[in-house]
């Protein structure tokens, strides 16, 4: 099953792995939480959740995405794996922004991840 490995994750190697299916479940929730004034700024995050692929986000983007992912994770109707993924993504994005480093997403089909 395809996964996305994100940098600045919580494991020993600094990576988190998220299945495409979980990110796809998270995408509409993230879209519904976007204020109209931030739609253009957060569009790359929505695209990344809907069609995950290899990409890099600047630290400033990672900080914006972290705030939005935290807001999405706090939605009382979002349950289970998508909520956990939103929290983990927010934490990784926060670490990338704090380190002033790009936040990398890498497509992998490794099932052992």
């Amino acid at each position: 099953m395809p996964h996305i490995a994100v940098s600045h994750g919580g494991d020993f190697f600094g990576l988190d792995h998220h299945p495409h299916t979980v990110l796809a479940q998270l995408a509409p929730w993230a879209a519904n939480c976007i204020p109209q004034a931030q739609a253009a700024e957060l569009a790359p995050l929505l695209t990344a959740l809907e069609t995950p692929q290899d990409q890099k986000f600047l630290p400033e983007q990672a900080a914006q995405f972290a705030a939005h992912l935290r807001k999405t994770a706090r939605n009382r109707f979002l349950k289970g794996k998508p909520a956990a993924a939103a929290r983990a993504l927010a934490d990784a994005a926060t670490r990338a922004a704090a380190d002033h480093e790009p936040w990398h997403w890498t497509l992998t089909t490794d099932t052992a991840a």
Side-chain angles (χ1 to χ4, degrees):
M1 172 169 33
H3 286 73
I4 287 292
V6 297
S7 68
H8 298 84
D11 77 355
F12 178 76
F13 300 104
L15 295 174
D16 284 334
H17 297 270
H18 302 282
H20 274 212
T21 55
V22 173
L23 297 180
Q25 292 170 355
L26 177 58
W29 291 92
N32 287 332
C33 291
I34 292 181
Q36 185 65 31
Q38 292 181 310
E41 296 169 358
L42 295 173
L45 173 63
L46 295 181
T47 301
L49 293 171
E50 292 167 353
T51 56
Q53 57 189 333
D54 291 354
Q55 51 201 340
K56 173 175 73 170
F57 301 108
L58 298 175
E60 299 80 23
Q61 286 178 301
Q64 288 177 326
F65 296 169
H68 182 67
L69 287 162
R70 275 200 182 76
K71 179 180 177 183
T72 302
R74 288 192 304 262
N75 185 313
R76 66 183 174 147
F77 298 110
L78 180 62
K79 304 288 184 208
K81 291 181 182 182
R87 285 188 298 276
L89 287 168
D91 291 345
T94 298
R95 284 189 285 273
D99 292 344
H100 304 288
E101 296 177 353
W103 188 33
H104 295 275
W105 288 33
T106 307
L107 177 64
T108 178
T109 55
D110 181 14
T111 56

